[in-house]
Amino acid sequence: MNTEKQDALPITVTNVTKTYGKVRALDDVSLDVKSGEFLTLLGPSGSGKSTLLMVLAGFTRPDCGSLKFGGSEVIRTPPHLRDVGMTFQSYALFPHMTVFGNVGYPLRLRKVPKVEMRDRVEQALETVQLGGFGDRRIDQLSGGQRQRVAVARAIVFEPRILLMDEPLSALDKKLREQMQIELRHLHEKLGMTTVYVTHDQREALTMSDRIAVVNHGRIMQLATPRDLYERPANRFVADFIGDSTFLPVTRRNGQVCYGDMALKHDAPAPDAPDLLLMIRPERIVLSDDGPVNGANNFPATVNDVVYQGDSYLVQARMEDGSQISIRRAMRGSNITSMPVVGDMITMSLAPEDTVLIDGSEA
Ligand code: ADP
């Protein structure tokens, strides 16, 4: 396999809709994937992620819309002519064949001569760190090794686009995390435009250049991991990625307020009728020494404390009765000073950590 970066292809999806009876699996989806980008489709089960991937692969024909790879329309192009490699959640390996047989399969379909096929399969196996495994049977491999075989099969014919549907979901947490880093490195090495499907927000944050959050067949937000976390477009995105407290705001003389807290006034849609104040639990400082200069300082009463190993989570009631969550990293001195139920605490929050979001899309 040529491990030099190849010419990757950008993908342009325009106004794609796919219905199954009354279900709108994809509802007027438009999306650009840049050349060589690692883009993740993230959303709950049934949101339309796999349907979109199947449209890209050519296994599902949408009701309407356009799909371009580079400048060429491919919506009518059959899967095997699309220059697309794909891995599936179930691996979809042939259990009765050897590793070599599985990885060589796409080359056999493409009538690649035997000698060249042997070289290319071995190189693909080396790329996924399975050099010398060609003669093994699939049922002699661990889950992680099977996943690597599936990846080798997807990249062996050097496609310019790689599609991956929940490739790590069958693996346990440790191996999954290790494979996330491996797949990311592989992407950097091969440079293929990659569209990756997962429902796991941490996996999406770890791996992606950009993430498209999908719900009910629509794209809620397309942004870098950092922008999604820091500036979610709406409540659905904020809720799906990370933990948050949402507080209702009021308007005073046209200004959005929450009590007399100093807020960062740059809501994406400042006139939205259902604006909410979003606060991430880890951005609140619980100060043993009282108020922090320059921050919003507000009292609350602790009503729950949960020890979670690397951190602890405090639930507290503020003066107006609202509940708020605070996460505090576990470090030496914290362990002895963990608050207990009934304590009055002072919380500090920098104005730049107050995020106003559109609350209408739950
Ligand atoms: P996800 O991958 O996000 O879990 P899917 O794309 O598989 O979601 O499904 C989106 C919606 O389309 C779901 O409501 C699902 O039941 C429906 N759907 C998907 N494929 C089919 C199909 N072949 N026939 C009927 N309904 C389908």
Side-chain angles (χ1 to χ4, degrees):
M1 167 160 300
N2 174 11
T3 52
E4 293 294 305
K5 287 205 177 189
Q6 354 175 15
D7 282 349
L9 277 179
I11 302 172
T12 311
V13 179
T14 313
N15 302 122
V16 163
T17 293
K18 174 70 190 172
T19 49
Y20 291 106
K22 288 197 173 120
V23 176
R24 262 180 190 261
L26 295 176
D27 187 1
D28 198 24
V29 168
S30 295
L31 172 80
D32 276 311
V33 190
K34 295 175 200 158
S35 170
E37 182 172 36
F38 194 117
L39 184 132
T40 296
L41 304 174
L42 171 70
S45 175
S47 57
K49 308 179 297 292
S50 297
T51 304
L52 182 51
L53 209 68
M54 287 300 181
V55 167
L56 299 181
F59 296 118
T60 296
R61 183 80 169 268
D63 306 342
C64 57
S66 145
L67 171 64
K68 287 186 174 164
F69 292 169
S72 314
E73 179 65 53
V74 293
I75 207 85
R76 289 169 202 285
T77 309
H80 67 284
L81 298 179
R82 285 198 181 189
D83 205 2
V84 159
M86 183 151 180
T87 69
F88 301 86
Q89 196 169 351
S90 57
Y91 310 150
L93 297 171
F94 303 114
H96 57 282
M97 285 190 198
T98 59
V99 168
F100 183 91
N102 272 276
V103 176
Y105 186 74
L107 299 178
R108 239 184 356 265
L109 284 184
R110 289 167 175 77
K111 309 220 175 338
V112 171
K114 274 227 164 72
V115 178
E116 186 186 338
M117 179 156 112
R118 203 171 311 133
D119 286 350
R120 286 174 68 172
V121 169
E122 194 47 40
Q123 281 174 36
L125 287 175
E126 270 164 26
T127 304
V128 299
Q129 300 173 24
L130 282 181
F133 276 65
D135 294 335
R136 298 273 187 101
R137 284 206 325 260
I138 295 299
D139 58 10
Q140 293 173 321
L141 302 179
S142 69
Q145 289 170 331
R146 285 177 204 202
Q147 185 51 57
R148 290 198 186 105
V149 174
V151 173
R153 186 179 57 182
I155 61 175
V156 72
F157 60 99
E158 300 184 21
R160 295 203 285 171
I161 292 173
L162 180 60
L163 308 176
M164 306 181 100
D165 193 355
E166 305 243 7
L168 307 181
S169 60
L171 306 179
D172 63 43
K173 184 166 177 291
K174 268 240 158 76
L175 188 54
R176 205 163 66 227
E177 287 172 357
Q178 184 191 327
M179 288 293 292
Q180 287 166 6
I181 306 289
E182 266 185 37
L183 288 181
R184 182 71 228 183
H185 285 162
L186 190 67
H187 173 258
E188 278 158 19
K189 190 155 80 176
L190 301 176
M192 294 166 188
T193 306
T194 301
V195 182
Y196 188 94
V197 164
T198 184
H199 62 269
D200 180 332
Q201 45 125 346
R202 189 162 289 279
E203 185 162 299
L205 292 173
T206 303
M207 302 189 71
S208 321
D209 294 320
R210 286 190 305 160
I211 300 171
V213 180
V214 186
N215 193 30
H216 298 313
R218 288 184 294 136
I219 294 186
M220 301 276 105
Q221 189 171 4
L222 172 60
T224 62
R226 184 161 188 174
D227 281 349
L228 271 190
Y229 191 81
E230 308 272 338
R231 308 289 308 147
N234 55 47
R235 181 168 183 161
F236 177 82
V237 175
D239 236 352
F240 200 74
I241 299 182
D243 300 322
S244 326
T245 294
F246 300 102
L247 299 169
V249 293
T250 53
R251 287 176 204 264
R252 224 183 290 145
N253 305 327
Q255 274 281 39
V256 177
C257 310
Y258 181 79
D260 53 8
M261 229 187 238
L263 302 180
K264 189 171 61 155
H265 287 281
D266 63 346
D271 299 326
D274 300 319
L275 223 47
L276 289 172
L277 169 60
M278 180 196 85
I279 299 174
R280 298 288 193 191
E282 75 281 3
R283 300 293 163 91
I284 296 174
V285 177
L286 261 192
S287 173
D288 301 332
D289 311 320
V292 174
N293 271 346
N296 294 294
N297 295 293
F298 46 100
T301 310
V302 173
N303 50 25
D304 199 18
V305 181
V306 185
Y307 172 84
Q308 295 185 320
D310 57 351
S311 61
Y312 61 86
L313 195 63
V314 177
Q315 304 287 343
R317 194 186 315 282
M318 305 204 294
E319 280 184 321
D320 69 351
S322 304
Q323 276 293 125
I324 192 159
S325 304
I326 308 114
R327 181 175 297 286
R328 200 176 193 203
M330 216 41 145
R331 307 185 200 91
S333 63
N334 289 348
I335 297 165
T336 47
S337 65
M338 249 169 73
V340 294
V341 174
D343 277 0
M344 280 286 289
I345 51 174
T346 300
M347 298 183 290
S348 301
L349 180 70
E352 53 271 29
D353 287 328
T354 61
V355 182
L356 292 170
I357 61 164
D358 180 356
S360 57
E361 195 81 55

